[in-house]
Amino acid sequence: MSDSKQPTHKIASSRKQLTSFCMCGPYPRRRRYYQIREFQMASSADELESEDPDDELELDDPEPLSRAEALPERLYDINEADADSKAANLEQLTIKEEDAWWNQVPLNNLDLSSNTLTHISPKIENLQSLTVLTLHDNALVELPPEIGKLEKLMRLNVSHNKLSQLPREMYSLPELRHLNISYNQFNEIDPDISDLHMLEFLDGGHNNIQSLPGGIGFLVRLTALLLPYNHVKELPPDLVNMRSLQKLDLMQNDLTCLPEDMGLLRKLECLYLQHNDILELPEFEGNKTLNELHASNNFIKTIPTAMCSNLPHLKILDLRDNKITELPDELCLLRNLNRLDVSNNTISVLPVTLSSLAHLISLQVEGNPIKTIRRDILQCGTTRILKTLHERALAKSKEEGSGSDGASTSAGISVTRLRAGQSDDGDMPANFPDRYKLRHTRTLAVNLEELTEVPDQVFQIAKNEGVHVVDFARNQLSTLPNGLQLMKDLVTELVLSNNLIGYVPQFISQFTRVTYLNLSNNLLTDLPNEFGVLNTLRELNIANNRFQLIPNCVYELQGLEILIASENHIKVLNVSGLKSMPRLSTLDLRNNDIDAVPPILGNLTNITHLELVGNPFRQPRHQILMKGTDAIMSYLRDRIPT
């Protein structure tokens, strides 16, 4: 190639505060850009379109890098100014000192995605300030050992390459928190990975990994372990030592069983086990935080009855395409279940207790030989099926309950209409859960009964039995029952969603142990000032009400971690209020009337999950919102006035 045809790589060594460098391709007949904005993970010129033209530096070379070209050598010395830059800045120093080379911010984000690179120069060690290195979608077969000298590196993405191992030096990176090695050619995970003590996220999906090393349990900070599409046959016993693990993805492997002590993963929220060879499920004793269990396409024959009482927060249970023959009545203990999929099994009967699941919005049963419900009813979907089961429960109670005034409970959960009368012995009113089940489940759940009030006696008995979970969802309550005050020192979870509640009484401030409060789908416009003293509250759901702003008392909740306020009429995003909530990590404000998002929201780094879709503001654009929380927060930070 002659000198006249040599591609020109323009690297702005004197550009003001160059903290991120993106060199993405290959896309013939398109230009590549150096992107200045932080955390840009682009794979095409289209994705790099910016509203601010000053954010971009253009390369003259429109073609992808070839093996012969490699990367411009100047890249590895980008933190050092050349002689020309120094001279130019010295001359201009009296005009604009902040442009001087010694005032430049070192490079901390390097993105070389999609460039068909086959090797990385050992000179990468010169970029000592790097915190993010993205080598996604190249043709790398190895990495230089010098990467192990990047002591500030926190995120490394080498997915979609041809790697079969990582240099041993890399396992000594003291700050590495995020490692993505998916879509490569790994046959195993090096046991030295246990030395990455700060690691929080590991994605090894779509490889050929046969087993996991002993000692992987030393990754006690790991919150997400993703290993889908491998050939793992067995999980090491010390996996359960990952006490911070929240998401475990083992989909499309060769597993036949799970550790019996899965319950030690007490923070586990999502478990993906689809397409394995699992024969039975454990009881999950201790996994109270589990929200999603996906175990379709296995060989499971039964659902453990104990599992139903051990997973009070389970919302999704996917067991389609298994060998299940019967559903236990105890499924009704999964009181927060939103979705149940048991399609394509060999189930012949649906238990009537399913009708007591107040939050169930999706019940999939197609592909089963169900004979007890007409086909046309099954084809009508969830609502019609649950209505039919509820009607049968009522009919059954009339047949069997002549001596007990129609009382009928299954697994301690009433499936008939409540009548607030008292029995002769002063026990629980007819059709409420009996004392034994209250004592066993510590839960008072009465749903779908059109209740407008609840007798005080119910709460007194529940208090005596040590109940700490109260669920009156899907009734017609206009406010909190007065008798609820009797349980103020016991209740940890209170669910009053889908009622007609228009105001919350001041006595709510007396519930000093409550950690979860669901007031969604009501008629609320405000909350009492006393609400702010609930410092134990971790999750608050006020979605689908009539709030025009988030009440000031909410900002006083110092322990709140999750705030769901979607589907309201909120117009203003109060960043100063949100800033006073140090533990807030999830904020859901979808489908409100917010017309502007203050850029300073990007400084609230404690928020790791932000939902803003469905509001009328123009910036950030929808494309940014779809990229997730990191992209939104980065976008906002870039627009904070300096």
Side-chain angles (χ1 to χ4, degrees):
M1 185 180 290
S2 64
D3 293 342
S4 62
K5 294 183 179 180
Q6 286 284 352
T8 303
H9 300 285
K10 297 180 180 178
I11 299 177
S13 60
S14 62
R15 184 170 178 82
K16 183 179 178 180
Q17 294 192 351
L18 177 62
T19 61
S20 301
F21 184 95
C22 181
M23 188 171 181
C24 307
Y27 292 90
R29 295 183 301 279
R30 292 190 180 186
R31 296 185 181 275
R32 291 198 311 280
Y33 295 89
Y34 292 110
Q35 181 72 356
I36 306 305
R37 287 164 53 188
E38 186 181 6
F39 292 116
Q40 181 67 34
M41 305 285 285
S43 58
S44 71
D46 290 343
E47 290 186 22
L48 286 172
E49 290 179 359
S50 171
E51 297 168 6
D52 184 358
D54 290 337
D55 277 347
E56 297 174 354
L57 292 179
E58 185 175 334
L59 284 179
D60 292 340
D61 172 24
E63 298 299 325
L65 293 175
S66 69
R67 180 168 183 168
E69 288 182 47
L71 291 170
E73 288 296 314
R74 179 71 183 106
L75 170 63
Y76 299 111
D77 299 318
I78 198 169
N79 288 337
E80 300 294 331
D82 55 28
D84 292 339
S85 298
K86 291 180 180 180
N89 282 320
L90 283 170
E91 293 172 3
Q92 299 169 4
L93 180 58
T94 56
I95 301 174
K96 204 169 186 182
E97 182 177 354
E98 62 265 28
D99 281 340
W101 59 268
W102 52 78
N103 286 329
Q104 300 309 306
V105 177
L107 183 72
N108 58 36
N109 186 338
L110 177 59
D111 187 340
L112 300 174
S113 302
S114 306
N115 273 296
T116 66
L117 297 174
T118 58
H119 71 281
I120 299 295
S121 170
K123 292 183 179 180
I124 191 77
E125 67 177 318
N126 295 342
L127 303 176
Q128 288 290 309
S129 58
L130 276 186
T131 59
V132 180
L133 177 58
T134 306
L135 302 173
H136 162 81
D137 190 23
N138 281 290
L140 299 171
V141 295
E142 64 178 359
L143 297 176
E146 286 76 11
I147 283 185
K149 296 182 179 180
L150 302 178
E151 295 186 352
K152 295 182 180 180
L153 196 65
M154 299 176 65
R155 298 173 67 95
L156 175 61
N157 186 346
V158 293
S159 61
H160 290 271
N161 279 282
K162 299 179 180 179
L163 300 170
S164 59
Q165 62 181 2
L166 297 175
R168 179 153 299 184
E169 291 80 0
M170 203 208 74
Y171 297 112
S172 62
L173 290 171
E175 297 295 329
L176 193 65
R177 288 166 166 78
H178 188 288
L179 176 60
N180 189 340
I181 59 172
S182 62
Y183 292 92
N184 276 284
Q185 299 174 7
F186 288 89
N187 293 318
E188 62 179 2
I189 294 180
D190 195 304
D192 288 339
I193 198 169
S194 60
D195 293 334
L196 295 173
H197 301 300
M198 300 298 291
L199 199 63
E200 298 174 357
F201 177 94
L202 174 59
D203 187 350
H206 295 266
N207 280 284
N208 190 35
I209 298 171
Q210 309 287 325
S211 62
L212 301 181
I216 195 170
F218 286 112
L219 300 177
V220 293
R221 296 177 184 266
L222 206 67
T223 60
L225 176 59
L226 314 181
L227 293 168
Y229 292 88
N230 281 287
H231 296 286
V232 179
K233 296 180 175 60
E234 186 179 4
L235 298 177
D238 66 339
L239 180 78
V240 297
N241 293 335
M242 297 180 179
R243 303 302 169 85
S244 300
L245 200 62
Q246 298 176 13
K247 182 177 181 179
L248 178 58
D249 188 347
L250 297 166
M251 178 174 59
Q252 289 278 3
N253 276 279
D254 300 326
L255 294 171
T256 59
C257 64
L258 296 174
E260 282 297 325
D261 49 358
M262 284 289 291
L264 294 177
L265 299 174
R266 301 192 186 281
K267 294 186 178 181
L268 190 64
E269 297 178 0
C270 301
L271 178 58
Y272 300 89
L273 301 167
Q274 305 98 308
H275 293 274
N276 278 280
D277 300 322
I278 297 172
L279 301 175
E280 61 181 6
L281 293 171
E283 294 183 352
F284 293 105
E285 184 178 0
N287 295 119
K288 291 186 177 181
T289 60
L290 194 63
N291 287 327
E292 300 182 19
L293 174 55
H294 301 265
S296 61
N297 293 92
N298 280 281
F299 297 94
I300 300 168
K301 296 181 179 180
T302 60
I303 300 176
T305 55
M307 184 188 86
C308 301
S309 60
N310 290 334
L311 301 177
H313 296 289
L314 194 68
K315 295 180 179 180
I316 298 176
L317 178 57
D318 181 4
L319 294 170
R320 65 178 298 133
D321 292 286
N322 276 285
K323 306 295 182 182
I324 299 171
T325 58
E326 183 181 6
L327 297 180
D329 287 341
E330 286 79 4
L331 276 177
C332 63
L333 295 177
L334 300 173
R335 54 188 178 79
N336 284 309
L337 202 62
N338 296 153
R339 173 187 163 199
L340 174 60
D341 191 344
V342 289
S343 306
N344 302 324
N345 281 278
T346 55
I347 300 165
S348 58
V349 177
L350 295 180
V352 295
T353 54
L354 288 178
S355 64
S356 68
L357 292 172
H359 307 287
L360 190 63
I361 58 177
S362 176
L363 174 61
Q364 303 297 322
V365 297
E366 62 269 13
N368 284 284
I370 298 174
K371 303 298 183 183
T372 55
I373 299 179
R374 296 199 317 265
R375 181 178 297 275
D376 61 308
I377 294 177
L378 294 175
Q379 292 176 342
C380 287
T382 302
T383 303
R384 187 68 179 91
I385 296 172
L386 293 179
K387 181 180 179 181
T388 299
L389 294 175
H390 187 63
E391 291 171 349
R392 292 185 179 181
L394 289 172
K396 184 178 180 180
S397 69
K398 290 180 180 179
E399 293 176 4
E400 300 177 354
S402 57
S404 59
D405 194 26
S408 174
T409 60
S410 182
I413 304 297
S414 171
V415 295
T416 61
R417 185 177 303 281
L418 284 165
R419 294 185 293 277
Q422 300 182 12
S423 57
D424 295 338
D425 61 359
D427 208 339
M428 189 66 105
N431 298 331
F432 276 83
D434 60 38
R435 286 179 178 270
Y436 172 78
K437 289 303 178 182
L438 288 177
R439 190 180 309 122
H440 178 67
T441 65
R442 296 289 190 267
T443 299
L444 171 61
V446 186
N447 314 118
L448 298 164
E449 298 296 347
E450 301 182 9
L451 288 175
T452 57
E453 59 183 19
V454 181
D456 292 353
Q457 179 191 5
V458 171
F459 297 108
Q460 183 62 57
I461 294 174
K463 175 184 177 181
N464 295 341
E465 300 300 338
V467 167
H468 58 79
V469 177
V470 176
D471 183 352
F472 281 95
R474 295 186 182 274
N475 284 287
Q476 295 186 13
L477 299 173
S478 59
T479 188
L480 280 63
N482 283 327
L484 189 60
Q485 298 179 70
L486 297 170
M487 303 181 65
K488 66 182 188 307
D489 297 325
L490 290 175
V491 173
T492 59
E493 299 182 24
L494 180 57
V495 181
L496 294 165
S497 58
N498 295 92
N499 277 280
L500 302 174
I501 297 175
Y503 76 99
V504 175
Q506 295 178 353
F507 70 69
I508 189 66
S509 62
Q510 301 173 20
F511 286 73
T512 56
R513 295 188 59 195
V514 65
T515 61
Y516 173 78
L517 177 58
N518 188 342
L519 295 168
S520 64
N521 294 279
N522 279 288
L523 306 175
L524 293 169
T525 59
D526 202 359
L527 295 172
N529 292 332
E530 294 79 2
F531 194 85
V533 304
L534 299 176
N535 289 327
T536 59
L537 194 62
R538 295 178 55 192
E539 180 173 351
L540 173 63
N541 189 340
I542 55 173
N544 211 333
N545 277 279
R546 299 179 179 180
F547 291 97
Q548 294 189 13
L549 50 81
I550 297 176
N552 289 331
C553 57
V554 172
Y555 301 122
E556 300 173 12
L557 300 173
Q558 296 298 298
L560 198 67
E561 299 175 6
I562 301 173
L563 174 58
I564 302 175
S566 57
E567 310 287 346
N568 279 285
H569 301 287
I570 297 170
K571 299 178 180 179
V572 178
L573 220 170
N574 185 348
V575 178
S576 60
L578 295 172
K579 188 177 180 180
S580 65
M581 305 168 72
R583 296 187 180 180
L584 188 66
S585 60
T586 297
L587 177 61
D588 187 347
L589 294 171
R590 290 173 296 171
N591 300 322
N592 277 283
D593 298 326
I594 300 171
D595 57 8
V597 181
I600 56 173
L601 179 65
N603 284 335
L604 303 186
T605 55
N606 52 299
I607 296 179
T608 58
H609 186 82
L610 176 64
E611 296 284 355
L612 293 173
V613 172
N615 283 281
F617 57 76
R618 299 184 64 182
Q619 304 295 339
R621 295 176 298 177
H622 183 74
Q623 294 91 326
I624 298 294
L625 299 181
M626 291 297 97
K627 291 181 179 180
T629 303
D630 282 348
I632 297 171
M633 302 300 264
S634 175
Y635 175 93
L636 294 173
R637 283 194 297 271
D638 287 341
R639 277 148 185 79
I640 297 176
T642 56

